[in-house]
Amino acid sequence: MAESQVQREYLDVLTKTGDKTGISKPRSEVHRDGDYHKAVNVWIYAESTKELLLQRRTDNKDSWPGKWDVSSAGHISAGDSSLISAQRELQEELGVTLPKDAFELIFTFVQQNALNEGKFINNEFNDVYLVTTLNPIPLEAFTLQETEVSAVKYIDVEEYRNLLSKEDPGYVPYDVNGGYGRLFDIITQRYKENTMERSLNLQKQLQRYAPVSLSSELTGLSDSDKGALVLLIKAATIMDEIFNLQVWHSNPVLRDWLTKHADASELDKLKWMYYLINKSPWSCLDENEAFLTTADSAVKLLPDATKPVTGWKGLEYKASFPMLKPPGANFYPPDMDKMEFELWKGSLTESQQEDATGFFTVIKRQSEFGLDASLSVHTVDETNHSVGSTHDLYSVPYSEEYNSYLTRAAELLHKAGDMASTPSLKRLLHSKADAFLSNNYYDSDIAWMELNSKLDVTIGPYETYEDTIFGYKATFEAFVGIRDDKATAQVKLFGDNLRVLEQNLPMDSEYKSKDIIAAPIRVIQLVYNAGDVKGPQTVAFNLPNDERIVKDRGTSMVMLKNVSEAKFKQILQPIADVCISKEQRELVDFESFFTHTICHECCHGIGPHSITLPDGRESTVRRELQELHSALEEAKADIVGLWALKFLISRDLLPKSLVKSMYVSFIAGCFRSVRFGLEEAHGKGQALQFNWLFEKEAFILHSDDTFSIDFSKVEGAVESLSREILTIQARGDKEAANLLLKKYCTMTQPLKVALHKLESVQVPVDIVPTFPVADQLLQEK
């Protein structure tokens, strides 16, 4: 950056913990006063030679003149984003233009030092990015910024570490034994691969899933519905494509790469198999720990990333993904924080705020449009976002963001709708196809609730678990099945009694809704699923999540009976055999497990949704609790579901034989769900419930490390937790929600005892289904 520009550069002043203060100051004053601020460091690493690229700082720099330093670095100017700054600095200083998927944020490092006799105080938060190229970039391919960089060179990683540890005067100092040592540790660990050890680890991870072939009978389907079924399965596969992109922007290219190389070795096959289960490089059952690294990722060629060099085909880099799963998935810019979003949201109209926080939009940066080879500003559509806005963020509807996918899916749904034999299925499929392209899902969700067809389908954007920043954005999924008429008739009782349950909920009457509408319940045999169905498989779902529809029409529920049966047989029964005391073990049965699952889903439809805050404002529980909502809502549905079963039994609406078996089956289910991990909403919710009930002595741990229920205490403990969660939701009390989750969503010793026993006997954690009927139908067509 030129000297005249430096004088004009303003930086955001941060607190000592790295949060923005809302103040910006000239760069010179920031360093004079020792203010905390932010910068980016970009390291280019050549994989084949194990070398890092260094630049030599010019002799006129005000810090570390003439010394060898990081590949590229610079301040983040006031209002700018981290990733865009990293891209810009690399382009300006070295003439290398790379897309965002080349940059891997590996950590943030706080640098604190004083130079020039204390006149230059540097208190800097550095976002450290790693760019992994296959081979070194030819030195003649760089275009050096004369005011900043005097030369570049490659150096062996270990040699560079040694020079820094010896404090060689020719190099900008970094403490390799402190925070910055992580750069070398990450690179060393990443390429110190023991193929056999890694294969064994992946095999262990895969063994936690029991392969299950889910069969389903197509008897009862008309010929036209069978034709529609094939089209629906094809549309469902497109939901997979969209979901892959929603998880992370380079996830689709990673998937394609792993697919292509799955037969290269046994290790590559295992990588692909475990990726298929998780649908990302992060393991659902391991607190989203990465089981792949950028070293495993796709190689991409950019012929024009630098100036051309004769005989060189261009820059090849690894499409990156972060070691820590991004909390905002691919719904927000990866370097966006909550404060930036809230400041932007505060500048919007009410309608624009609804778009920003709505289910069906992604949030992007205007500055992404401005970063081409010359860093010029592109002209953008001002109907969607304003170039002159003081804020960098803007929203894009799903119908635009995923248009190519949704257009294909809509065509298939329209064709299936034309073939469907029942009016309600026709209406659903045509309205959902229209919603894909209009971004208005209200009518199609109503049509889904009113579906009355042997062929059952749920397709579209629904759940918000991937968005752990706010819990706003919905992921695409699909469930295609055949209605089980007998089981559907049996569960009608629950939907018919929703209003009664609402009016008797254990919370203050002022919070109870008088507008509860009975939730239709459909039981299906699953034929195929896709999209957001990674890791542990759902046994039921209660939709829609749109509070407008919940308020006006209630919700509807779908139970996946063949999935439930497979989980009970493969997982819950073996858990009971290991973890439940001998005296109570026989009380665990499928009827209790399945009945509580039904009640869980019903209870999503009761309790607080649209709420009035203490200051009189109208809001929703989801909006107020944000990222805490999913875990608390899952806990609510579980524990209130248990309360509701006891209530229905007391009214002689369910058999009294369920009283003991439902509690014992529930504790076995707690161990099942906690194994999903405490980063996952269901696992968090179950940990909260288990620890609360254990604290209230409703759950008892025996000397042989088995558990039982104290039936004299469990009912009161269930009711007290139900009241606690319902009241927090009704008040939209995020602080109370946070305190409750922090206290009880922990891996306590009793939970560790149970999980250790299950691991020692290798009880599967969940199932991984295959769909032979769907595969056969697709092959026949």
Side-chain angles (χ1 to χ4, degrees):
M1 187 172 294
E3 202 64 35
S4 60
Q5 291 176 296
V6 167
Q7 299 305 317
R8 294 197 303 268
E9 186 180 14
Y10 275 70
L11 306 180
D12 287 320
V13 177
L14 309 179
T15 67
K16 289 184 178 181
T17 56
D19 297 318
K20 289 182 179 179
T21 62
I23 300 169
S24 62
K25 293 167 60 174
R27 176 183 184 274
S28 58
E29 293 181 18
V30 165
H31 283 293
R32 180 198 67 195
D33 300 337
D35 294 315
Y36 284 86
H37 58 284
K38 201 157 191 180
V40 291
N41 284 8
V42 182
W43 292 95
I44 296 179
Y45 175 73
E47 190 176 69
S48 62
T49 60
K50 300 181 175 62
E51 293 177 313
L52 286 167
L53 179 76
L54 302 184
Q55 64 160 267
R56 187 164 63 199
R57 300 166 67 85
T58 57
D59 293 332
N60 63 352
K61 296 287 290 182
D62 56 7
S63 60
W64 313 115
K67 294 183 184 293
W68 290 99
D69 195 7
V70 58
S71 309
S72 174
H75 290 97
I76 300 176
S77 298
D80 280 358
S81 77
S82 173
L83 180 55
I84 296 296
S85 297
Q87 291 176 280
R88 182 178 292 115
E89 290 296 333
L90 193 60
Q91 201 280 340
E92 288 180 347
E93 294 185 354
L94 302 182
V96 180
T97 303
L98 294 176
K100 65 182 180 181
D101 70 349
F103 295 80
E104 178 187 358
L105 179 62
I106 52 176
F107 59 87
T108 297
F109 165 70
V110 183
Q111 189 174 14
Q112 297 173 297
N113 48 41
L115 305 173
N116 302 338
E117 299 177 344
K119 296 176 183 177
F120 185 96
I121 305 171
N122 193 39
N123 290 324
E124 196 166 75
F125 285 85
N126 288 286
D127 284 346
V128 182
Y129 290 91
L130 185 65
V131 172
T132 302
T133 63
L134 215 56
N135 300 301
I137 302 169
L139 298 185
E140 59 268 36
F142 294 105
T143 303
L144 306 185
Q145 186 179 16
E146 294 181 359
T147 57
E148 296 282 320
V149 185
S150 60
V152 290
K153 70 174 182 179
Y154 276 98
I155 186 170
D156 179 83
V157 170
E158 287 305 314
E159 180 185 350
Y160 183 46
R161 189 207 288 256
N162 291 335
L163 289 169
L164 291 178
S165 65
K166 295 174 183 177
E167 299 183 4
D168 188 294
Y171 295 80
V172 173
Y174 293 103
D175 182 7
V176 294
N177 297 315
Y180 221 98
R182 292 170 63 192
L183 168 71
F184 301 96
D185 294 341
I186 288 168
I187 292 174
T188 301
Q189 183 63 36
R190 184 168 291 182
Y191 293 94
K192 186 183 175 182
E193 180 175 298
N194 183 321
T195 301
M196 183 172 292
E197 181 182 351
R198 196 165 176 205
S199 294
L200 286 172
N201 286 336
L202 282 169
Q203 285 172 357
K204 288 179 182 178
Q205 289 176 305
L206 281 162
Q207 286 168 359
R208 294 178 295 181
Y209 290 91
V212 172
S213 177
L214 290 182
S215 59
S216 50
E217 295 292 333
L218 302 186
T219 53
L221 281 189
S222 65
D223 289 340
S224 59
D225 278 352
K226 287 179 181 177
L229 174 60
V230 175
L231 295 169
L232 291 177
I233 294 170
K234 289 180 178 179
T237 64
I238 298 173
M239 300 303 104
D240 254 341
E241 296 179 55
I242 302 176
F243 178 67
N244 284 334
L245 183 57
Q246 290 183 305
V247 171
W248 183 244
H249 56 73
S250 60
N251 199 36
V253 73
L254 172 63
R255 177 190 172 94
D256 292 345
W257 180 265
L258 293 173
T259 308
K260 183 179 178 182
H261 292 81
D263 296 328
S265 69
E266 180 63 22
L267 176 58
D268 288 305
K269 180 182 178 181
L270 293 169
K271 289 178 188 176
W272 171 236
M273 290 172 65
Y274 200 51
Y275 176 91
L276 275 178
I277 290 174
N278 294 280
K279 298 190 176 183
S280 81
W282 302 286
S283 176
C284 298
L285 294 180
D286 299 294
E287 313 293 333
N288 287 322
E289 179 183 347
F291 63 92
L292 301 174
T293 73
T294 295
D296 301 305
S297 193
V299 176
K300 298 179 74 174
L301 171 65
L302 287 177
D304 303 319
T306 66
K307 66 183 178 185
V309 173
T310 303
W312 183 55
K313 63 181 179 181
L315 187 152
E316 291 179 292
Y317 72 93
K318 291 290 187 74
S320 74
F321 48 86
M323 293 178 290
L324 297 178
K325 187 177 181 185
N330 196 24
F331 299 120
Y332 309 92
D335 52 0
M336 185 203 81
D337 57 28
K338 279 189 172 183
M339 176 175 283
E340 181 183 9
F341 182 89
E342 294 295 349
L343 287 172
W344 167 62
K345 189 181 80 170
S347 72
L348 303 176
T349 65
E350 184 175 345
S351 173
Q352 290 171 331
Q353 287 188 22
E354 288 179 4
D355 283 342
T357 61
F359 291 112
F360 314 125
T361 59
V362 295
I363 309 303
K364 293 196 162 190
R365 291 195 180 282
Q366 306 212 40
S367 51
E368 288 186 14
F369 287 90
L371 199 74
D372 61 3
S374 62
L375 293 181
S376 62
V377 177
H378 284 201
T379 301
V380 292
D381 181 358
E382 295 191 18
T383 61
N384 291 326
H385 38 81
S386 169
V387 179
S389 170
T390 56
H391 294 279
D392 196 24
L393 303 177
Y394 68 98
S395 62
V396 180
Y398 281 4
S399 55
E400 179 182 327
E401 181 71 4
Y402 310 122
N403 183 263
S404 61
Y405 304 104
L406 293 174
T407 298
R408 288 159 46 209
E411 290 174 356
L412 289 166
L413 293 189
H414 277 309
K415 289 179 181 178
D418 291 340
M419 299 179 71
S421 64
T422 61
S424 65
L425 182 57
K426 284 181 178 291
R427 182 189 167 209
L428 168 62
L429 298 180
H430 287 305
S431 62
K432 187 65 71 175
D434 292 340
F436 281 167
L437 303 182
S438 70
N439 218 51
N440 184 350
Y441 285 87
Y442 190 95
D443 289 343
S444 67
D445 281 344
I446 296 295
W448 176 82
M449 294 178 69
E450 296 175 346
L451 180 62
N452 181 20
S453 167
K454 188 72 175 175
L455 177 56
D456 196 286
V457 60
T458 303
I459 187 168
Y462 288 106
E463 304 293 0
T464 61
Y465 301 127
E466 287 295 303
D467 177 6
T468 59
I469 295 183
F470 293 113
Y472 291 153
K473 306 304 176 185
T475 49
F476 282 82
E477 61 187 0
F479 296 87
V480 183
I482 310 300
R483 188 175 64 191
D484 185 322
D485 293 319
K486 181 180 177 182
T488 297
Q490 289 174 337
V491 301
K492 188 173 181 294
L493 161 76
F494 294 92
D496 290 346
N497 282 277
L498 272 192
R499 292 180 183 177
V500 176
L501 290 172
E502 174 74 23
Q503 293 311 309
N504 286 276
L505 283 173
M507 66 174 176
D508 292 349
S509 296
E510 64 184 288
Y511 300 133
K512 295 176 183 177
S513 173
K514 295 179 174 56
D515 302 318
I516 292 297
I517 299 168
I521 304 175
R522 311 195 294 264
V523 181
I524 69 169
Q525 301 290 339
L526 185 66
V527 175
Y528 189 74
N529 67 10
D532 190 1
V533 289
K534 67 187 191 312
Q537 297 290 301
T538 187
V539 295
F541 48 88
N542 188 78
L543 297 172
N545 288 321
D546 188 332
E547 288 89 354
R548 298 173 303 165
I549 299 176
V550 174
K551 184 178 180 181
D552 296 343
R553 300 289 298 271
T555 59
S556 190
M557 184 193 319
V558 175
M559 313 290 301
L560 313 178
K561 191 169 185 182
N562 52 350
V563 178
S564 295
E565 290 168 340
K567 288 203 181 201
F568 183 83
K569 180 180 177 181
Q570 297 286 338
I571 301 162
L572 204 72
Q573 193 66 65
I575 286 176
D577 293 341
V578 173
C579 291
I580 304 301
S581 66
K582 187 176 180 180
E583 296 75 19
Q584 295 187 2
R585 198 171 295 159
E586 295 302 317
L587 292 169
V588 178
D589 59 20
F590 178 71
E591 181 185 5
S592 299
F593 172 63
F594 191 61
T595 305
H596 179 256
T597 302
I598 297 168
C599 220
H600 168 108
E601 297 302 332
C602 281
C603 288
H604 277 305
I606 61 175
H609 289 279
S610 297
I611 58 175
T612 302
L613 299 175
D615 62 6
R617 287 185 296 116
E618 298 295 321
S619 188
T620 66
V621 178
R622 183 185 301 276
R623 189 166 296 163
E624 295 305 314
L625 299 190
Q626 296 181 336
E627 76 280 6
L628 307 181
H629 174 264
S630 291
L632 207 64
E633 176 61 21
E634 289 304 323
K636 179 209 83 173
D638 249 353
I639 201 70
V640 174
L642 207 54
W643 167 88
L645 284 179
K646 182 62 173 64
F647 177 85
L648 294 172
I649 291 168
S650 71
R651 295 290 183 95
D652 295 324
L653 295 171
L654 288 174
K656 286 185 168 52
S657 60
L658 280 175
V659 170
K660 291 186 176 181
S661 63
M662 71 181 189
Y663 291 125
V664 184
S665 297
F666 176 79
I667 191 173
C670 279
F671 300 137
R672 180 182 73 88
S673 294
V674 166
R675 297 173 85 201
F676 299 160
L678 299 191
E679 290 298 313
E680 193 268 347
H682 297 80
K684 279 184 180 179
Q686 286 285 16
L688 162 60
Q689 295 167 85
F690 176 89
N691 290 325
W692 178 286
L693 296 176
F694 189 86
E695 180 183 88
K696 305 299 182 188
E697 300 179 346
F699 293 166
I700 302 167
L701 174 60
H702 300 285
S703 58
D704 63 351
D705 291 342
T706 62
F707 293 80
S708 65
I709 303 295
D710 185 332
F711 295 111
S712 68
K713 295 180 179 178
V714 69
E715 186 178 340
V718 166
E719 183 168 327
S720 66
L721 181 54
S722 297
R723 180 180 297 277
E724 182 77 11
I725 294 175
L726 289 166
T727 303
I728 287 172
Q729 290 184 320
R731 294 173 177 170
D733 191 342
K734 187 176 182 181
E735 182 178 354
N738 190 44
L739 289 172
L740 183 69
L741 290 168
K742 274 191 173 180
K743 181 177 180 180
Y744 291 100
C745 285
T746 59
M747 191 59 68
T748 56
Q749 188 58 33
L751 281 175
K752 289 179 181 177
V753 167
L755 298 192
H756 178 72
K757 290 193 74 174
L758 296 177
E759 188 174 343
S760 65
V761 297
Q762 295 188 337
V763 174
V765 177
D766 210 76
I767 63 171
V768 53
T770 55
F771 303 102
V773 173
D775 293 340
Q776 183 179 344
L777 287 171
L778 290 176
Q779 289 172 5
E780 290 175 355
K781 297 294 180 177

